[in-house]
């Protein structure tokens, strides 16, 4: 049972009693409404009885006042008669309206009103007139007739009262029956609804209980799997070949695997709960200045961070190791940063191997240049020797002057070549401004003899004010490698084109923009590089020259260009109609 099903069951369990109560309330409302109508009928019957009783009292008052006046002839005794007439008429009309509203036949009241008017007109009025005139009003026949009329009126009124009392009794019985039925209905509904809700709740609780048991079993299984996964993870971290350090959000160490313990010199028990900076101390290999830890950088930037390649790890015993490091954030399910994991490894031997390979490549380049320089310097010196010989052999003053100018030109050429050679190995410690045009011209000067022997045409197109920031010796090494490769790949009479172009910066909100710099392109129309070999040209020890190549030139060049934050790309074709290779190097500008 998922959460939505559980919510539906709970909603049903809550709504069904509410609906049942609403149903009971509706039935109870109907019963109460019927009872209220019955009670209203009872009130009307009570009002009619009370009105009839009032009529009876007013009739007695009329008769009493009339008899007193008859006996005493004093008009004071006639006041009850006079005062009762209007209230009596009103009471009779009210009684008639009450019977009409009740739904009863008002004819009995109408008959009573007619009979009362007959009594008032045929008995009371003549009796009052006779008494006022002083006549004898003790006529027994008249009095008996009046008495009979009054008794008939009383009987009519009593019949009305009895009818209303009987009707009230019936209404009362109806009300009691309604109350009894209401109680019976409520009891029956309570039993039925209670049983229904009980059975429904029982079935739903069984479902919830079964779902809870299943969820509990699933949680136990997930907990077991989580525990096993955690154990596997701990085993993996412990046995991994790189050093791993796990810190919490405050930079307090929680875990060091075995490799990290060996590299730092700290054991797990000693390092746990200590600040990272105390265990993992890194400095710049050249300046010896402390470096910012990956933990601080990850916490600041909230992303994976790679450490500087010039980092030295200061071990607990005082020894040092070159390390390559990275840090990654640890987030909880809500995406909140809760810790940092760092992975690092000892690259001391790797750096030594790379240094040895670089030295090997430099020696190879130096060997090729030495052979080239031997010929480049030998030819001008031979020319100088020949010119001096001609001067000694009786040359004219004009010829001697001309010979001296030629000798001076040849010596200048030797000086240029020697300066280029010295510049090739005068390595700077920090990046400096490098004029790309001057650098390429000095490289072409050193390779001039190799190009001449192959009768290669070198076409140049250099942009002015093309400066970059870098290490001149390393950059010369890159372009000597690239131009030598172009010459080796070219056939006799081929063309090598060397061009430089300034590239401006382009801003973009999505990609961050393109950096300004200098683009150097070296193209040849040689045999080209096959599609199978092209992806491997930047790998160490891969060469297409057989025994004549070391397989290190392009690998070293690629590393140097990356060191200068640049790029190097190779395009090549082996088609018969369109063959050759083009290498594009991009270096950032000095002012970018």
């Amino acid at each position: 049972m998922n959460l939505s099903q559980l919510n539906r069951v709970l909603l049903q369990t809550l709504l069904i009693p509410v609906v049942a109560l609403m149903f009971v309330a509706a039935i109870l409302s109907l019963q109460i409404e019927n009872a209220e109508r019955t009670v209203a009928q009872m009130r009307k019957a009570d009002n009619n009885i009370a009105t009839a009783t009032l009529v009876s009292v007013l009739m007695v008052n009329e008769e009493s006042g009339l008899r007193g006046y008859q006996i005493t002839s004093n008009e004071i005794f006639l006041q009850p008669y006079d005062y009762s007439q209007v209230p009596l008429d009103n009471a009779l009309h009210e009684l008639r309206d009450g019977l009409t509203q009740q739904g009863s036949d008002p004819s009995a009241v109408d008959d009573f009103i007619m009979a009362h008017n007959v009594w008032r007109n045929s008995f009371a009025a003549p009796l009052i007139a006779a008494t006022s005139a002083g006549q004898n009003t003790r006529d027994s026949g008249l009095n008996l007739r009046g008495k009979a009329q009054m008794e008939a009126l009383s009987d009519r009124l009593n019949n009305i009262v009895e009818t209303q009392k009987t009707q009230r009794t019936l209404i009362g019985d109806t009300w009691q029956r309604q109350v009894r039925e209401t109680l019976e209905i409520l009891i029956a509904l309570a039993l039925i609804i209670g049983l229904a809700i009980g059975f429904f709740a029982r079935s739903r609780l069984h479902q919830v209980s079964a779902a809870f048991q299943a969820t509990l079993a699933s949680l136990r299984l997930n907990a077991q799997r989580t525990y096993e996964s955690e154990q596997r993870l701990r085993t993996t971290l412990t046995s991994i070949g790189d050093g791993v350090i796990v810190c919490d959000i405050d930079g307090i160490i929680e875990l060091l695997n075995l490799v990290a313990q060996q590299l730092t010199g700290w054991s797990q028990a000693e390092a746990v709960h200590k600040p990272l900076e105390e265990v993992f101390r890194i400095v710049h290999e050249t300046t010896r200045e402390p470096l910012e830890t990956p933990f601080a950088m990850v916490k600041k930037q909230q992303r994976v961070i790679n450490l500087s390649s010039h980092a030295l790890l200061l071990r607990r015993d005082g020894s040092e190791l070159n390390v390559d490091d990275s840090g990654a954030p640890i987030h909880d399910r809500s995406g909140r940063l809760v810790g940092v994991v760092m992975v690092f490894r000892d690259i001391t031997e790797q750096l030594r191997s790379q240094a040895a390979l670089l030295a090997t490549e430099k020696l190879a380049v130096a060997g090729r240049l030495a052979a080239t320089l031997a010929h480049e310097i030998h030819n001008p010196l031979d020319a100088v020797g020949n010119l001096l010989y001609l001067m000694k052999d009786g040359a004219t003053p004009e010829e001697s002057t001309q010979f001296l100018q030629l000798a001076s030109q040849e010596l200048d050429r030797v000086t240029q070549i020697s300066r280029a050679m010295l510049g090739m190995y005068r390595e700077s410690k920090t990046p400096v401004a490098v004029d790309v045009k001057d650098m390429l011209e000095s490289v072409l000067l050193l390779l001039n003899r190799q190009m001449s022997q192959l009768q290669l045409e070198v076409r140049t197109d250099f942009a002015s004010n093309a400066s970059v920031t870098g290490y001149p010796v390393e950059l010369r090494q890159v372009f000597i490698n690239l131009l030598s490769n172009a010459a080796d790949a070219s056939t006799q009479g081929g063309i090598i084109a060397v061009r430089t172009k300034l590239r401006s910066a382009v801003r973009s909100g999505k990609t961050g923009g393109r950096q300004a710099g200098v683009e150097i392109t070296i193209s040849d129309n040689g045999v080209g590089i096959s599609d199978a070999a092209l992806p491997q040209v930047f790998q160490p020890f891969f060469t297409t020259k057989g025994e004549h190549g070391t397989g290190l030139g392009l690998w070293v060049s690629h590393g140097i260009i990356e060191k200068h934050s640049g790029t190097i790309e190779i395009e090549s074709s082996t088609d018969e109609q369109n063959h050759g290779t083009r290498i594009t190097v991009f270096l950032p500008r000095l002012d970018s």
Side-chain angles (χ1 to χ4, degrees), residues 212-230:
F212 176 75
Q213 294 297 331
T215 303
L216 190 60
S218 177
L219 289 175
R220 289 196 187 100
L221 181 60
N222 289 337
Q224 180 64 25
R225 289 177 178 174
T226 302
Y227 174 76
E228 293 174 356
S229 176
E230 183 179 356

Side-chain angles (χ1 to χ4, degrees), residues 253-275:
I253 294 177
E254 295 180 346
L255 173 69
L256 275 79
N257 69 345
L258 291 177
V259 177
Q261 297 175 37
Q262 295 170 0
L263 294 180
T264 60
W266 289 78
S267 67
Q268 167 75 12
E270 294 171 333
V272 72
H273 303 315
K274 288 187 179 296

Side-chain angles (χ1 to χ4, degrees), residues 353-405:
S353 299
Q354 290 180 354
L357 291 175
L358 290 173
T360 300
E361 174 61 14
K362 285 185 178 181
L363 288 175
V365 173
R368 290 197 299 268
L369 289 178
T372 301
L373 288 173
H375 290 281
E376 292 290 339
I377 294 177
H378 179 73
N379 290 335
L381 291 180
D382 281 345
V384 171
N386 291 333
L387 290 171
L388 291 176
Y389 175 78
L390 291 175
M391 291 175 63
K392 290 181 181 179
D393 197 21
T396 62
E398 291 80 4
E399 292 177 339
S400 297
T401 301
Q402 185 179 2
F403 291 158
L404 285 174
Q405 290 178 352

Side-chain angles (χ1 to χ4, degrees), residues 492-506:
Q492 190 170 4
I495 299 174
I496 296 178
V498 184
R499 295 182 177 86
T500 63
K501 180 176 67 174
L502 298 179
R503 195 172 80 178
S504 59
V506 177

Side-chain angles (χ1 to χ4, degrees), residues 19-70:
V19 172
L21 289 176
M22 292 176 65
F23 177 70
V24 172
I27 295 177
L28 185 60
S29 297
L30 292 175
Q31 292 297 110
I32 291 174
E33 185 177 353
N34 292 332
E36 286 180 347
R37 284 198 294 268
T38 303
V39 171
Q41 293 293 329
M42 292 175 64
R43 288 198 186 101
K44 290 178 181 179
D46 290 339
N47 289 335
N48 291 337
I49 293 171
T51 304
T53 302
L54 177 62
V55 170
S56 177
V57 171
L58 292 174
M59 284 174 54
V60 171
N61 289 339
E62 275 188 326
E63 186 178 13
S64 298
L66 183 63
R67 294 299 182 185
Y69 181 65
Q70 180 184 10

Side-chain angles (χ1 to χ4, degrees), residues 519-585:
E519 189 175 272
I520 304 101
T521 304
I522 300 174
S523 306
D524 65 69
N525 57 355
V527 295
I529 304 172
S530 66
D531 293 339
L534 192 60
Q536 306 178 61
V537 294
F538 290 119
Q539 296 180 5
F541 305 111
F542 177 81
T543 180
T544 59
K545 300 179 183 179
E547 296 180 354
H548 299 288
T550 63
L552 297 175
L554 286 179
W555 174 68
V556 170
S557 300
H558 186 271
I560 292 173
I561 295 301
E562 284 193 338
K563 178 181 177 180
H564 286 75
S565 301
T567 60
I568 179 170
E569 299 175 355
I570 296 182
E571 301 175 46
S572 188
S573 175
T574 56
D575 295 342
E576 293 183 2
Q577 300 298 326
N578 183 23
H579 53 81
T581 303
R582 181 174 66 183
I583 300 179
T584 303
V585 176

Side-chain angles (χ1 to χ4, degrees), residues 52-333:
T53 302
L54 177 62
V55 170
S56 177
V57 171
L58 292 174
M59 284 174 54
V60 171
N61 289 339
E62 275 188 326
E63 186 178 13
S64 298
L66 183 63
R67 294 299 182 185
Y69 181 65
Q70 180 184 10
I71 295 171
T72 63
S73 299
N74 189 350
E75 292 185 356
I76 293 175
F77 290 93
L78 191 60
Q79 289 180 356
Y81 173 83
D82 294 332
Y83 292 159
S84 297
Q85 289 187 16
V86 174
L88 179 61
D89 293 338
N90 292 336
L92 289 172
H93 288 297
E94 183 180 350
L95 179 60
R96 188 182 189 284
D97 293 338
L99 292 176
T100 302
Q101 293 176 1
Q102 191 184 43
S104 301
D105 186 8
S107 59
V109 177
D110 293 336
D111 293 342
F112 179 85
I113 293 175
M114 291 177 61
H116 183 267
N117 289 333
V118 169
W119 174 83
R120 185 181 289 175
N121 294 325
S122 65
F123 175 73
L127 182 61
I128 293 172
T131 302
S132 298
Q135 298 177 3
N136 183 16
T137 57
R138 298 185 181 274
D139 184 7
S140 59
L142 177 64
N143 290 329
L144 290 174
R145 187 174 67 251
K147 179 182 178 184
Q149 290 178 349
M150 183 58 66
E151 289 177 352
L153 288 174
S154 298
D155 291 338
R156 290 176 182 275
L157 188 60
N158 288 333
N159 290 334
I160 294 174
V161 173
E162 289 300 325
T163 301
Q164 289 298 306
K165 287 182 177 181
T166 302
Q167 191 167 358
R168 185 188 184 286
T169 301
L170 294 176
I171 294 172
D173 294 339
T174 302
W175 180 78
Q176 291 179 354
R177 178 174 52 80
Q178 289 176 341
V179 171
R180 185 172 59 255
E181 289 176 353
T182 301
L183 292 176
E184 292 173 352
I185 291 173
L186 288 177
I187 293 172
L189 287 176
L191 290 175
I192 295 172
I193 294 173
L195 290 174
I197 292 176
F199 283 117
F200 178 80
R202 182 173 177 272
S203 65
R204 291 300 183 268
L205 287 177
H206 276 303
Q207 292 182 4
V208 173
S209 177
F212 176 75
Q213 294 297 331
T215 303
L216 190 60
S218 177
L219 289 175
R220 289 196 187 100
L221 181 60
N222 289 337
Q224 180 64 25
R225 289 177 178 174
T226 302
Y227 174 76
E228 293 174 356
S229 176
E230 183 179 356
Q231 291 302 111
R232 285 196 299 270
L233 178 60
R234 285 185 175 275
T235 303
T236 301
L237 291 178
T238 302
S239 58
I240 198 171
D242 291 340
V244 178
I245 300 178
V246 180
C247 302
D248 63 11
I249 188 62
D250 298 319
I252 304 301
I253 294 177
E254 295 180 346
L255 173 69
L256 275 79
N257 69 345
L258 291 177
V259 177
Q261 297 175 37
Q262 295 170 0
L263 294 180
T264 60
W266 289 78
S267 67
Q268 167 75 12
E270 294 171 333
V272 72
H273 303 315
K274 288 187 179 296
L276 176 66
E277 291 79 4
E278 184 176 343
V279 176
F280 189 75
R281 296 181 299 157
I282 51 176
V283 297
H284 194 279
E285 64 178 352
T286 303
T287 63
R288 311 296 295 182
E289 292 292 330
L291 293 176
E292 188 176 18
T293 64
F295 167 79
M297 299 171 68
V298 168
K299 187 175 180 180
K300 184 188 305 180
Q301 302 184 27
Q302 298 281 320
R303 62 180 180 87
V304 178
I305 298 295
N306 292 321
L307 191 65
S308 170
S309 59
H310 301 285
L312 280 178
L313 173 63
L314 304 181
R315 306 180 68 202
R316 190 177 186 183
D317 59 4
S319 59
E320 300 174 352
L321 294 175
N322 291 95
V323 293
D324 184 16
D325 193 4
S326 65
I330 302 174
H331 297 101
D332 59 12
R333 298 182 64 179

